[in-house]
Amino acid sequence: MPGIIGELEAVAGPLKGTTFPLSGEEISIGREPSNFVSVLDASVSRKHCLIRVEEGQFKIQDLNSRNSTFVNGVPVTERILGSGDEIKVGNSLFLFVLPEDKGANSVSTSVEFNRDDTGGGSTIILRKQDALYLRDLDKIAPTARMVRDLNALLQISKAVSSVRGLEALEKQILESIFQFAPAGRAAILLCDRGLECTSVFGWDRRTGPNHAVQVSRGILAQVVEQGVAVLCNDLPAVEVLAGADNAVAQHIRSVLAVPLEVFEEVLGAIYLDASDPEVRFDEEHLQLLTAIGSIAAFALDNARRMEWLEEENRRLQAEMNVEHNMVGESPRMRDVFQFISRVAPKDSTVLVTGESGTGKELVARAIHQNSNRAKQPCVAINCAALAESLLESELFGHEKGAFTGAVVQKKGKLEVAEGGTVFLDEIGEMSPLLQAKLLRVLQEREFERVGGTRTIKMNVRVVAATNRDLSEEVRKGRFREDLFYRLNVVSLRMPALRERRGDISLLASYFAAKYGKRGNRAVLGISPRARACLLNYDWPGNVRELENAIERAVVLGSSDLILPEDLPESVLEKAAPADAASDAFHDGVRDAKKHLIINAVEQASGNYTEAARLLGLHPNYLHRLIRNLNLKPALIRQAGADS
């Protein structure tokens, strides 16, 4: 007796809790008692599937079962098993476990995708270790000013802890600062890399919040890069700070700026200035604002992280609504899987072509998941779903005030996907202007937001898709030739469903199980006659049309099997193959349709438009019926006989 080299654990169904040892011998699963794993369940075929060892690997094979064998939710005909795979047979669920992985706290998946003294006497530099309110206050004699400042700090602490949202928090902080500091303008700047600000909230005492505030770049650089607070009451005299800034041009006399620091990392700064020569910031203002900055930094950092998490959650939720599994075992789909495995580890631009509904977005996401960018975002955008102006904003983002309605700064999909992948669906629908802009992005790997002047470097992989013949579009002058060659580095044509009919049954079983579970309806399988109809139809809408047809059948059907009458008329109109099981009702309906159409065309003397009028049909629908019912030869013979 061979040693035990694997186990099959029943986790759902009649055999729940039972463990079956696996050796080198074949293990059969089915309804008959003669099977090694006998499952008394009407949804299980007598001989349902077989598990055997080939070349040191376990392989499962479906034995033409009525309701298919599922591995990790995907119907299969034959597949190599990996430890942790879930096998669904009828209403039973088994867990395949190898001995070395038993008890491990890991989840196995079916696919493993691989910037001193400044020399100005009117300038004060305050370092963190010298900040009054950041030291032990028990050793400092209290003064009236100190009591007032501590009260202000207490009020600000309460205020920031009761506000949610980054912009609301920034507004609350600046509003509190204006109550004790004689500033004319104030701003909170949150920086990303160096002095690149990702968030700027400005407030002018006269005009109110959301006001553009010009900031001395020299002072900001000193605060952010050195982590010190700076007070300057004679800005024009301090050349090292004024530098080439436009602060002098604005007649700004006094500036006070403190860092926002969290765990030794400077996130940005709080910046105050005043143009009135009578207004001067003092050292007490500097001390208090430094303490406020310490309090505000953590609140601002948390608010920013929370907004990022919320946005990331929305993005991930959107991704979860897309099915990532590609079902298929035909040679054409094996070619697709091989293409993905070879292309994904590289960083080349990929162009996916094919008819609508063939699964081009699933290929793009599979390429992303198999790449070294898999832990970064994969962002999709449909170039045909948005007007040109909206698509430009969606791609590149926009600055606040760039156009009517742009009330806040917005990052574009190219920026959101930094480090990851951007999927441009229906790239053939993009306007010539945006084609030129996209070409520059692909060549230079940089762009500017709409209404912005700052160049943003990007590191994203681009996967594009189209159902058009781009070479023909280039020939007709509707698509830029240089962009076509930039996109068409490596390309894949997704096969139409009619080109891989062997996958129709697997796909139908997969969608039946999916929508049966979603609709809380027990669907045991698809009747032989209904399956024959599915196999005989050409599916011009490809996998998307098949999915819609099966969802319709699950919703409208009343039995535990999907029957022909549950399928759309367009599927039933296609003549069944000669070896298909007879169905008197549907055959009769089909024959009646043929008879009516032939008589109407004869009565209309071969004029299809007139025949459609006689039948009360739209001409396009009549032409579809003639095609689906294969009536063209009969009508041609009839026309010859009449002549």
Side-chain angles (χ1 to χ4, degrees):
M1 178 76 177
I4 305 303
I5 56 177
E7 290 183 351
L8 201 63
E9 300 178 5
V11 295
L15 301 176
K16 181 179 180 180
T18 308
T19 300
F20 299 92
L22 301 178
S23 63
E25 299 177 344
E26 289 188 344
I27 301 298
S28 61
I29 303 176
R31 195 172 69 246
E32 286 185 347
S34 60
N35 290 285
F36 182 83
V37 180
S38 178
V39 185
L40 297 178
D41 183 349
S43 63
V44 177
S45 298
R46 290 192 296 270
K47 295 287 186 180
H48 201 103
C49 62
L50 191 69
I51 298 177
R52 64 181 185 274
V53 176
E54 285 188 7
E55 299 179 353
Q57 293 180 308
F58 280 96
K59 182 178 287 188
I60 188 168
Q61 179 184 0
D62 182 74
L63 300 176
N64 297 317
S65 64
R66 182 180 64 177
N67 300 322
S68 299
T69 301
F70 291 75
V71 177
N72 300 321
V74 179
V76 300
T77 54
E78 193 172 75
R79 181 160 181 170
I80 295 174
L81 293 173
S83 185
D85 281 348
E86 293 181 345
I87 303 169
K88 183 176 184 296
V89 176
N91 294 315
S92 297
L93 186 66
F94 298 92
L95 184 67
F96 174 75
V97 182
L98 294 177
E100 60 266 26
D101 294 322
K102 187 172 178 62
N105 295 323
S106 61
V107 178
S108 174
T109 59
S110 59
V111 182
E112 291 187 7
F113 292 109
N114 329 319
R115 192 188 330 194
D116 302 332
D117 192 338
T118 61
S122 60
T123 300
I124 300 176
I125 304 296
L126 180 66
R127 304 183 187 281
K128 183 177 180 180
Q129 59 267 31
D130 299 322
L132 178 65
Y133 298 118
L134 302 183
R135 293 185 291 170
D136 190 352
L137 296 180
D138 292 339
K139 300 177 182 179
I140 303 175
T143 64
R145 179 72 177 260
M146 180 184 294
V147 173
R148 191 194 70 181
D149 288 350
L150 291 175
N151 185 56
L153 288 174
L154 179 60
Q155 292 178 6
I156 291 177
S157 297
K158 291 181 178 179
V160 299
S161 63
S162 62
V163 176
R164 184 176 182 180
L166 182 59
E167 186 172 339
L169 180 60
E170 291 171 326
K171 183 179 179 181
Q172 180 64 62
I173 292 170
L174 295 188
E175 186 176 17
S176 300
I177 290 174
F178 275 129
Q179 295 178 13
F180 69 85
R185 286 161 299 276
I188 292 177
L189 304 97
L190 299 179
C191 303
D192 187 6
R193 297 181 297 270
L195 298 181
E196 293 186 18
C197 296
T198 58
S199 175
V200 179
F201 185 86
W203 191 325
D204 188 292
R205 187 183 288 270
R206 294 174 301 173
T207 59
N210 292 313
H211 182 84
V213 175
Q214 297 293 332
V215 175
S216 169
R217 189 172 182 85
I219 290 180
L220 179 62
Q222 188 169 15
V223 171
V224 173
E225 294 175 357
Q226 299 181 23
V228 297
V230 177
L231 184 158
C232 180
N233 281 314
D234 190 8
L235 188 63
V238 186
E239 297 180 2
V240 69
L241 292 181
D245 293 328
N246 57 5
V248 177
Q250 293 188 68
H251 308 292
I252 295 175
R253 309 296 300 182
S254 301
V255 170
L256 176 56
V258 301
L260 294 167
E261 185 177 344
V262 175
F263 298 123
E264 307 300 325
E265 180 184 357
V266 178
L267 308 177
I270 299 179
Y271 183 94
L272 312 182
D273 69 36
S275 301
D276 188 348
E278 300 300 321
V279 172
R280 297 180 65 87
F281 298 124
D282 57 28
E283 188 173 353
E284 284 75 12
H285 289 133
L286 179 62
Q287 291 283 1
L288 180 56
L289 192 65
T290 301
I292 293 175
S294 181
I295 294 172
F298 285 93
L300 290 167
D301 186 46
N302 289 335
R304 185 167 64 168
R305 290 178 183 273
M306 182 61 70
E307 287 196 352
W308 181 88
L309 287 172
E310 290 174 350
E311 178 61 32
E312 183 73 359
N313 184 57
R314 285 190 292 268
R315 183 186 67 78
L316 292 174
Q317 288 293 337
E319 282 195 21
M320 288 173 62
N321 294 329
V322 178
E323 293 293 344
H324 291 265
N325 294 322
M326 285 187 288
V327 178
E329 298 179 356
S330 65
R332 297 298 300 272
M333 287 306 293
R334 291 196 194 102
D335 291 342
V336 171
F337 299 146
Q338 185 178 19
F339 175 88
I340 293 171
S341 67
R342 295 174 61 184
V343 169
K346 311 300 188 294
D347 222 15
S348 301
T349 300
V350 180
L351 177 63
V352 185
T353 63
E355 299 176 8
S356 294
T358 51
K360 295 186 290 295
E361 182 169 352
L362 292 181
V363 171
R365 294 190 180 276
I367 289 173
H368 172 75
Q369 291 298 330
N370 279 292
S371 72
N372 55 7
R373 298 174 179 267
K375 294 182 179 180
Q376 303 302 322
C378 179
V379 180
I381 182 169
N382 191 327
C383 300
L386 298 171
E388 179 181 335
S389 58
L390 293 176
L391 179 58
E392 182 178 12
S393 173
E394 197 73 10
L395 271 173
F396 307 116
H398 61 254
E399 298 290 351
K400 179 180 177 181
F403 49 83
T404 303
V407 295
V408 295
Q409 181 195 78
K410 177 187 175 183
K411 291 184 178 181
K413 293 295 179 67
L414 292 174
E415 202 169 349
V416 172
E418 177 65 20
T421 304
V422 169
F423 174 58
L424 302 177
D425 198 10
E426 304 298 350
I427 190 74
E429 309 293 332
M430 186 174 284
S431 70
L433 176 61
L434 281 181
Q435 289 179 30
K437 292 189 176 184
L438 180 60
L439 176 63
R440 177 181 179 271
V441 169
L442 294 177
Q443 289 177 334
E444 307 298 333
R445 295 287 163 174
E446 62 184 28
F447 62 93
E448 296 172 358
R449 297 194 190 107
V450 177
T453 57
R454 182 170 65 89
T455 298
I456 301 172
K457 299 288 185 180
M458 76 167 198
N459 173 27
V460 299
R461 182 181 194 172
V462 175
V463 179
T466 181
N467 58 11
R468 294 189 177 191
D469 184 347
L470 287 190
S471 58
E472 181 66 15
E473 295 295 299
V474 169
R475 191 183 67 80
K476 294 180 179 180
R478 293 197 290 253
F479 199 83
R480 293 181 63 108
E481 186 176 17
D482 45 5
L483 178 58
F484 172 63
Y485 291 128
R486 181 63 66 175
L487 290 171
N488 194 29
V489 179
V490 289
S491 62
L492 168 70
R493 178 186 171 273
M494 283 297 291
L497 187 54
R498 61 184 175 274
E499 299 171 2
R500 54 182 187 108
R501 292 185 182 275
D503 293 330
I504 292 178
S505 288
L506 290 177
L507 285 162
S509 296
Y510 173 72
F511 292 135
K514 171 184 174 180
Y515 289 105
K517 182 178 180 181
R518 182 176 295 181
N520 197 26
R521 182 192 160 205
V523 179
L524 297 182
I526 304 171
S527 73
R529 179 70 180 180
R531 197 176 293 272
C533 293
L534 296 175
L535 292 170
N536 194 51
Y537 184 56
D538 283 338
W539 300 106
N542 295 295
V543 179
R544 186 180 293 122
E545 184 184 7
L546 173 61
E547 181 175 6
N548 291 341
I550 298 299
E551 182 180 8
R552 175 188 187 274
V554 171
V555 172
L556 297 180
S558 56
S559 68
D560 55 1
L561 291 177
I562 293 178
L563 303 175
E565 52 264 36
D566 301 327
L567 299 175
E569 282 292 315
S570 57
V571 177
L572 300 179
E573 287 163 359
K574 184 73 173 178
D579 59 347
S582 177
D583 188 324
F585 174 75
H586 292 99
D587 288 344
V589 170
R590 189 180 298 107
D591 290 340
K593 288 181 179 181
K594 290 181 178 180
H595 183 70
L596 288 171
I597 292 172
I598 292 174
N599 287 344
V601 173
E602 181 181 4
Q603 189 176 348
S605 301
N607 188 317
Y608 287 3
T609 302
E610 178 63 18
R613 188 190 65 80
L614 293 174
L615 290 169
L617 302 175
H618 192 282
N620 290 347
Y621 182 51
L622 176 60
H623 282 286
R624 197 195 78 181
L625 283 171
I626 292 172
R627 182 174 64 253
N628 287 345
L629 296 171
N630 197 26
L631 278 174
K632 201 71 175 179
L635 294 174
I636 292 175
R637 288 195 300 270
Q638 182 193 45
D642 292 343
S643 63

